[in-house]
Amino acid sequence: MLLIYAQKSTPRISYIFKHICLRILGIEVAFTSEIEEFIAHVGPKISYGKKPLGNELFFQSYGLLEQQGLEAIDVSVKKWGDTFGFFSVSNNSALPFDIFASSFFMITRYEEYLPHVKDEVGRFMASESLAFKHGFLQQPIVDIWAHLFKAKLLETFPEIEFPEKKITIHPVIVASQPYAYKQKGVFRSVIGYLDSFFHGKFRNILNRTQVILGLKRDPLDTFKWLINKATRRNFNLTVFFLLGNALSFNESMNTHRQKFKMLIKFVADYKEVGLIFSFGALSNYEILKTEKRRMEEITNRVLSSSMNSEFLVNLPDIYRHLVELEVKRDFTMVFRDTVGFRAGTCTPFLFYDLDYEIKTPLVVHPIAMTTLAFQKKYASDIEKTVNNTIAAVEKVNGTFTMIFSNSDFSSEENNKVWRKILAEKLQEYAE
């Protein structure tokens, strides 16, 4: 156990030290504001504050963790070895930057609470982020800082035993449109035929007819293939379904149909099923509650994991709703079309409500990328980016989570690269 002295132990200090020490590095921590207790402690110990008490291992505070509320911060980012740092401190500190304040700034999404430009859907854009502007978006920088802290601890306390950790792989499948032609109903099918006819897509007309007549498998129905790959090596996988209204008419379907419910039950028999909250539900708590209840009625299980339609994270409101609904895990912390670590970490973390200054039980799973970020990219470029990101996560023994769509594995599309990544590359780490 590591004892941490702080003149005043604030909720922010407790939150970020526990994330870095316990969640990332795997060691227990305790806090004290009593100098006598700190001096008497014979095990590993550090102090965190404005000035050192004596000759102990000291990390200087920038001041952010002692504050309450939000204010605009002028952040100066500097190169630091192979990474970057901000919130510079004096030479008295064991590290040149207050990595605890910096980590808190990143994983609480402090910058997303401040005024910023949104895209047309209302999302916080990657280009607005500090990480994008200064070139460290593709580094799990909080985890890198944690390992620099670990190295300092081992220099002073070589007796500390850190548990052995290795990379965790957790792919996610978004099945907002589980079928291209099946289960659409008469009205949607007729509209689909007319749309294909007026746009000259006669191949689609043939495919739709063959699927409806049962002569051919629906091209988006890739679930048996996915389950087969995931169960062969006990692969961690979560599949998310949409029960509410889709934004696109082409993607919409009657989710009350028994065969659609049977699909969800089939997947739930093998792997975890999550819920995509519809776009309309994100601003209406009662709709959120209704959609959650429907999913639980279909699976006969308590809903644990969710994500938001269109990857919209409107902080802090939506996360407060998830806490109230007792959803355990969120999978929306990602930039839709940009590769990188939105929260600066590849380790799941607890949502901290900056308005109320409280740690909540909601676990936010940071996502490294979605396949939507690779539109019009060559397969070689896709594989290189995925490999580099996995390597960055493996270096800090974090969790690599990537969002796919069920359509990415359709045999009719020119997307062999996604099948190769899921069935070969990611499964290398599942053994």
Side-chain angles (χ1 to χ4, degrees), residues 91-104:
N91 293 332
N92 289 332
S93 182
L95 292 173
F97 302 93
D98 183 352
I99 64 162
F100 308 103
S102 306
S103 298
F104 182 83

Side-chain angles (χ1 to χ4, degrees), residues 324-340:
E324 194 169 341
L325 288 169
E326 298 182 338
V327 174
K328 294 179 180 177
R329 295 181 288 273
D330 168 77
F331 286 81
T332 322
M333 188 53 65
V334 65
F335 289 124
R336 179 183 182 274
D337 53 7
T338 306
V339 175

Side-chain angles (χ1 to χ4, degrees), residues 3-16:
L3 182 65
I4 300 164
Y5 171 83
Q7 190 173 6
K8 182 183 178 184
S9 184
T10 66
R12 293 184 177 191
I13 290 175
S14 172
Y15 169 76
I16 200 60

